Amino acid sequence: MNKQDEYVSFETAKLARKKGFDECCNRYYIITPNKSKGKLCITNSNLNNSEWDSYRIKNLTDNIAAPTKYILDIWLLENYSIQITIFSYSQESWQFKITRPHEKLEDVELYEDFTSKSEAIDNALQEALKLI
């Protein structure tokens, strides 16, 4: 799987939906009866936005779109000018910073000590969504 194809976690998808993310995705989480977790499933990836609205209303009322980490990162940048920067001083510890327009990278909080880049990205997306 290409790194740009990694899907956000269920928790991140729920938060993204709450914050207004409603884009056409080719994956979604089916909400389980206890609503504590979801199962990742495939949808038709050829839907345009108006078809997505119709499809979602008919089929996905209790389900949550599962964007890739890359798509959610771009959505945050394009819609809210929120930039996420991921970096590592070693391959064993990953960090991130979140900046908005007119903020300098060296002036914002550092979130650190994630054991993988993927974990750092998912946590960065959650923190960025909380800023909206």
Side-chain angles (χ1 to χ4, degrees):
M1 178 184 293
N2 183 328
K3 290 294 182 187
Q4 288 186 348
D5 293 338
E6 287 186 12
Y7 295 92
V8 300
S9 68
F10 179 62
E11 292 304 316
T12 302
K14 284 195 315 187
L15 184 56
R17 177 169 143 175
K18 181 179 176 182
K19 297 297 184 167
F21 182 87
D22 189 26
E23 304 290 323
C24 181
C25 293
N26 64 355
R27 299 283 191 277
Y28 63 95
Y29 285 103
I30 295 175
I31 305 297
T32 57
N34 65 11
K35 300 198 185 285
S36 63
K37 55 185 174 181
K39 178 181 176 185
L40 191 60
C41 295
I42 301 170
T43 62
N44 181 346
S45 62
N46 296 322
L47 299 174
N48 64 35
N49 282 335
S50 63
E51 292 169 331
W52 167 246
D53 288 339
S54 176
Y55 181 85
R56 182 178 42 81
I57 289 167
K58 289 178 186 174
N59 300 297
L60 304 176
T61 52
D62 280 341
N63 299 294
I64 299 173
T68 62
K69 293 174 182 181
Y70 176 78
I71 288 172
L72 188 54
D73 183 36
I74 296 301
W75 181 80
L76 286 164
L77 182 61
E78 290 178 349
N79 291 284
Y80 297 98
S81 300
I82 295 174
Q83 173 110 22
I84 295 171
T85 305
I86 307 288
F87 53 97
S88 175
Y89 296 112
S90 73
Q91 294 298 310
E92 297 173 7
S93 177
W94 294 86
Q95 300 83 31
F96 68 84
K97 288 189 174 191
I98 299 171
T99 53
R100 295 177 131 177
H102 311 295
E103 291 181 328
K104 294 180 181 178
L105 195 58
E106 60 270 8
D107 294 338
V108 296
E109 182 178 358
L110 173 68
Y111 298 84
E112 56 185 322
D113 294 328
F114 297 96
T115 57
S116 71
K117 185 175 183 181
S118 182
E119 178 188 14
I121 293 168
D122 207 61
N123 278 275
L125 291 168
Q126 288 182 23
E127 290 300 321
L129 287 165
K130 291 175 188 176
L131 297 174
I132 300 173

